[in-house]
Amino acid sequence: MVRRGVFWIVLIAAIMLLCLIVPFTALSGVDAWYGSFLFWVVATLAVIVINVVITGSWRE
């Protein structure tokens, strides 16, 4: 069970790292504001889905 938690934490950390790297490297040539904004929205939705999956099995 602990290994599963570590997997999700590493996945969220990787998404956060990508949120810093991708807009300033791969999307640096995109002049429109929606280039990095779209990436950040998709990354945010991915983190929200991961958090729902993690907390879905929690019970009182």
Side-chain angles (χ1 to χ4, degrees):
M1 189 62 138
V2 172
R3 293 184 72 200
R4 183 175 174 208
V6 171
F7 169 75
W8 291 116
I9 291 172
V10 169
L11 186 61
I12 290 174
I15 292 172
M16 290 171 57
L17 187 62
L18 286 174
C19 284
L20 291 172
I21 294 173
V22 170
F24 297 109
T25 57
L27 297 176
S28 64
V30 178
D31 292 331
W33 64 271
Y34 51 81
S36 58
F37 180 73
L38 177 63
F39 177 77
W40 282 326
V41 167
V42 171
T44 301
L45 290 175
V47 170
I48 289 170
V49 168
I50 290 170
N51 283 321
V52 168
V53 169
I54 291 171
T55 59
S57 64
W58 288 5
R59 300 285 182 244
E60 274 190 61

